[in-house]
Amino acid sequence: MKTIDWKTAIRNGLVGGVIALYFSMIGMVEAFSGRNLIGDFFNMGHLLLFGGVLAAGILTARAHKEASVGINAFSSLVAGLAAGIPTTLLILLANNVELQSVFVSVNRTLLALLTFERGMSGLGLFFLATSLIALAGGLYDSLPGVYKRTLGLSLSVVVVVAVFSNIVTQIMTTLFGRPSVRLILDGDALKPLSAAVLFVVLTGIFILREQRRVKAEKLVASGAAAIESKRASLQRQVILFVGIGILLLIAPYVLGSFLSQVLFEVGRFVLLGLGLNIVVGYAGLLDLGYVAFFAFGAYTMGILTTTGPLNQGGGLFNFWLALPIVVLVSVFFGIMLGFPVLRMRGDYLAIVTLGFGEIIRILALSDWLRPIMGGAQGVLAIPSPVFFGIKLDSPEKMYYLVLAGALLVAFVSIRLRDSRLGRQWMAMREDEDVAEAMGINLVQTKLLAFAIGAGFSGLGGAIFAARLGNIFPHSFNLLISINALSLIIVGGLGSIPGVIVGAIALVGLPELLREFQEYRLLMYGILLIVMMLNRPEGFLPAEVFKRELHAEEAELPGAEA
Amino acid sequence: MASILSTRNIIKTFGGLVAINDFSLEIPEGSISSVIGPNGAGKTTFFNCVTGFYKVDAGMILFNGAPIQNQRTDIVTRLGISRTYQNIRLFANMSAIENILVGQHPRLKTFWGEAIWKSKRFQEEEAVALEEARRLIKFVGLQGLGDQVARNLPYGAQRRLEIARALASQPKLLLLDEPTAGMNPNETGEMTHFIKHLRDELGITILLIEHDMRVVMGISDQVTVLDYGSKIAEGKPKDIQNNPRVIEAYLGRGAASGLKSGKAK
Amino acid sequence: MFKKTLARLSWVDIFLRVLQLVAAIVIVYGLVTTFTTARYSSEQWATLAFAGLAQGSIYALIALGYTLVYGILLMINFAHGEIYMAGAFSTVFLAMYFDRNGFLASNPLVAIIVLILFSAAISSGIAILLERIAYRPLRNAPRLIPLITAIGASFLLQYTFRGLFGSQFRSYPEVSILRGTWTILGFNVPIVQPVVFLAAVSLMITLYWYVERTKAGRAMRAVSEDKAVARLMGVDIDKVIVSTFALGGALAGAAGVFNGLFRPQGVFFLMGFFPGIKAFTAAVLGGIGNIPGAMFGGLLLGLIESLGPNAVLEGLGIPAANQLKDAIAFTVLVLILIFRPQGIFGERLAEKKA
């Protein structure tokens, strides 16, 4: 293409601009602008405001595939100008009409932010900013492949480090003491110099790695070192495992109390996610009422270990004695709620299970069951578990409990997945009728999925109850189910590493960004839609096992020798 | 020869529509039998009744002399009847080997929980099952494709894999629903040969639904013709070719070419 | 004969039969004890019934959106409750404006019609946008995927509107001509209830006429019967699907205004969840995909929900039965899906297609 494609450029620009307008009008830009990323000139609000514009610039340049750099740059500049229009219109409108009484987020702070605190003369600045950013995107896209990859990667890493600077703060405080933090951070933001240094160092590392990769590819192509690399990869795997193990064990000491609490939350959702993964990921039964079993687990633990509302027989159990009962009760309810829905499929199953979850919550909240479940007041003063004389009463200590639980559940999940039962579930997920025709008893297979999933969830609930000490009905709303579902989908349905990654991304990271809690569900919504449209298999899709080649590979070296 | 499968006067209706009407059939053990008939004659419905996917309204279905009508599908499979589908229905996101492992399900006996602590029994059983799956992959000529996800396999390989999956349960009777549909003459020839091979090598009784008259006439010991859910003819392939009612049933729908080509052979 | 039936029963069947029986006994027992102890006067029952009918007509309007979309795409538009919220929440600001400048007092009928049109337009627009961005690219995807997308869309819409309009409740202004009571069948009924009921029913009749008698409606029915054949007949499938979403959205938007006039609690960004689920229940109750079914199901659900706590639950000796009102709708949903998934009028075998 020799000439500029005006239509594409303007359309991309407008889409980028509308994204900026959207984030401004729902208040996210303003809320996020309080958090500086680099120095005091680049904050998270800018990320939202100009992210779409940058993407518009890149995409516009990309649409002009074979064009010269000049055309690329010009087209992205056009996109950038177009991207300025929607927000400018908002600013003009807001200056003449009182909008805030309806659109609560269109306030002075936002307008000041959009005009760089220069009033109407800031309008030009806004256009300048969108144009320059889109232009930068266009030029970036014209770079040769290696530089594009490395620059893009190191820039993203710098931004990510800046966003999660509180982890950096915590680790540096533990390792080098508090003063070291002030060297690189200015409050929560990276100092411009440290950001620049980080960027340069990362780029260097990435370029080196790129070169080594090219070399390695040549080696592989020449056929040498094939067996050598296999041994090396095994070694690397062992080191990786040991490394992760040690990291998991020392994590609470390095990370401190607040981050241990975050890890606990991640662990809790890994537990829930692994259980739900059996029901949804393996067996293909979309269960939106999964929180019910979590609630059963928590309430059973609460009722058994406190003298609370029930007052009879309660308090006799300690955490460890109650735990097996809790799991059994959850499994029982898993079967009881599984029975009626055996004949349902797909969306109907989803809605009915959602209904179950809500019924349970409403019942827990009602005066009717108050004598047992405590009504709106919940169950109070659940004792912390005691492990060989150590009272597990802090987030650091509870972390180990949830870690143990998650490891156990992951272990059982993996073992079952690789067995007859796992194959039964997956066959059922793929085609129920054919699975039955293969001799699979659908009733039994489904009930086992519900029961095991419920058992895991109940375990999670029990640990949750013991950690919090008090449980209330509103801790068990639909959002828990949605959270668990989202994380297994984002990670990759049926994939165990996916569940862990999903829990870190969807539970851990938002915990770290607590100040933006109110936009968390909005981000979930966007994430779910984007994921389903572009990558329905998730970030770490479940792998297909190499079963046939396993044996042949084992034979090969022998044959060669 | 004794009958491995016999149906006695079965009737299956959907609302007002009579899909199978008073249909009786004897399948001798060790035979290759075919059910033919125009589209919508009730052939696949008949398969669905035999495998228990549909409940019959009246009549009996005997397998090795024991009634199986209205049994659950999984139980029928366990008794030794296995099938393939007209429009291939593999477990699309599972590998070929795993598809076959699922097919072996009725033969796996260990308690499901043993997988958690990997009992010796479990490990042995899994090893045997995996070995058997690899053997079946080779048997149907798919060696090297075992780790492919089923949906990525070429069409002919999918048909073969479906048969391998059906064989995995070690059936005594195998129902094949249009095994050569959508194949070119070359592939059809191979498949015909393969079906014969199944019977001769493994001694499995085979009942097939087929539209390709060359296949039907080439390998069947016995042919049954269905029209509007009723049996209109039965016998050796030769007799069927000359049966006036059969010709009428096909000609009446303008589908005589298939029959003629069979004759030409 | 009996033996044969017994032999065909599986464990699941037996369990479901028992469950059915238990449910029936509990309901009958509750009803009997309530009415033998004569806890409430007929006046009180009538009040509950009229309120239930008005509420039910709102459910019915929303339920039509579920049913229309399901009829054509065999998909449950999980975010439909949010489409309803979008109209109701946006329009409250226009209503407040009309109230401030006196338009609502001087010209109440015109003002309300403008509000309904405005709300319908907003909801319709959101529905079309949703279809275009989130559902159309997934039309041939496995069923789970559009459902999850819809859940995502539901959250996106809720929190977008919260961001736009804030998280507090906003109340529709009171309309003077809707104040006061009428006497119907000897009972005093707040005017707003029969008005909402009649307006909703007339909208439903219009819709029914549109689908059954107009060319566009015929195209819609053709697509719902068989997309491939409809395309061969020259029907523009995309256009029909978009217009279905628009129509469903418009009805939900209208329902939003009715709700605002009828319920003084006000509107806020989470208001769509429960009515959404309940309207879905109504659609299933009448047989999803079936237009008169959705209307009837909505009214019936409104009645059950309104009368249920007092008529059944209190009879069972449950304290503060009104707390369980939302659970009733869910219980109805669960029971109907277990025992009669095709609904009361269901011509479609929901289970086979689901």
Side-chain angles (χ1 to χ4, degrees), chain B residues 2 12 43 69 134 143 146 163 182 188 202 214 220 264:
Chain B
K12 174 71 198 169
K43 303 177 301 268
Q69 72 274 16
R134 290 191 185 119
Q143 53 267 57
I163 294 178
T188 303
L202 305 177
R214 241 169 303 184
S220 309

Coordinates of all heavy atoms in Angstrom, one line a residue, chain B residues 2 12 43 69 134 143 146 163 182 188 202 214 220 264:
Chain B
A2 N -25.8 -69.8 15.5 CA -26.7 -69.2 16.5 C -26.8 -67.7 16.2 O -25.9 -67.1 15.7 CB -26.2 -69.5 17.9
K12 N -41.0 -48.5 17.3 CA -40.6 -47.3 17.9 C -41.3 -46.1 17.3 O -41.3 -46.0 16.0 CB -39.0 -47.1 17.7 CG -38.5 -45.8 18.2 CD -38.5 -45.7 19.7 CE -38.4 -44.3 20.2 NZ -38.7 -44.1 21.6
K43 N -33.0 -46.7 9.8 CA -31.8 -47.5 10.1 C -31.1 -47.1 11.4 O -30.8 -47.9 12.2 CB -30.8 -47.4 8.9 CG -31.5 -47.9 7.6 CD -30.5 -47.7 6.4 CE -30.0 -46.3 6.2 NZ -30.7 -45.4 5.3
Q69 N -33.7 -55.0 25.7 CA -34.4 -53.7 25.3 C -34.6 -52.9 26.5 O -34.8 -53.3 27.6 CB -35.8 -54.1 24.6 CG -36.8 -54.6 25.5 CD -36.8 -56.1 25.7 OE1 -35.8 -56.7 25.4 NE2 -37.8 -56.7 26.2
R134 N -2.2 -48.7 22.5 CA -1.1 -48.6 21.4 C -1.3 -49.7 20.4 O -1.1 -49.4 19.2 CB 0.2 -48.7 22.1 CG 0.6 -47.5 22.9 CD 2.0 -47.5 23.3 NE 2.3 -46.4 24.3 CZ 2.8 -46.6 25.5 NH1 3.0 -47.8 25.9 NH2 3.0 -45.6 26.3
Q143 N -0.5 -45.6 13.5 CA 0.7 -45.4 14.4 C 1.4 -44.1 14.1 O 1.4 -43.6 12.9 CB 1.7 -46.6 14.2 CG 2.2 -46.9 12.8 CD 1.3 -48.0 12.2 OE1 0.1 -47.8 12.2 NE2 1.9 -49.1 11.8
G146 N -1.1 -41.2 17.5 CA -1.8 -41.5 18.7 C -1.8 -40.3 19.6 O -2.8 -40.1 20.4
I163 N -13.6 -46.5 15.0 CA -13.7 -48.0 15.0 C -12.8 -48.6 16.1 O -13.2 -49.4 16.9 CB -13.4 -48.6 13.6 CG1 -14.4 -48.1 12.6 CG2 -13.3 -50.1 13.7 CD1 -14.2 -48.6 11.2
G182 N -18.6 -40.4 2.9 CA -17.7 -39.3 2.6 C -16.3 -39.8 2.2 O -15.3 -39.0 2.2
T188 N -12.7 -46.2 0.3 CA -13.8 -47.1 0.6 C -13.4 -48.6 0.4 O -13.7 -49.4 1.2 CB -14.9 -46.8 -0.5 OG1 -15.3 -45.5 -0.3 CG2 -16.1 -47.7 -0.2
L202 N -10.6 -61.0 14.3 CA -11.1 -60.9 15.6 C -12.3 -61.7 15.9 O -12.8 -61.8 17.1 CB -11.3 -59.4 16.0 CG -10.2 -58.5 15.8 CD1 -10.6 -57.0 16.1 CD2 -9.0 -58.9 16.6
R214 N -21.8 -51.1 -3.4 CA -20.6 -52.0 -3.7 C -20.1 -52.6 -2.4 O -19.8 -53.8 -2.4 CB -19.5 -51.2 -4.4 CG -19.2 -51.7 -5.8 CD -18.3 -50.8 -6.5 NE -19.0 -49.4 -6.6 CZ -18.4 -48.4 -7.3 NH1 -17.3 -48.6 -7.9 NH2 -19.1 -47.3 -7.4
S220 N -21.3 -58.4 2.6 CA -22.4 -58.9 3.5 C -22.7 -60.4 3.3 O -22.7 -60.9 2.2 CB -23.7 -58.1 3.2 OG -23.4 -56.8 3.3
A264 N -23.8 -54.0 -11.4 CA -22.8 -54.1 -12.5 C -21.6 -54.8 -12.0 O -20.9 -55.5 -12.7 CB -22.4 -52.6 -12.9

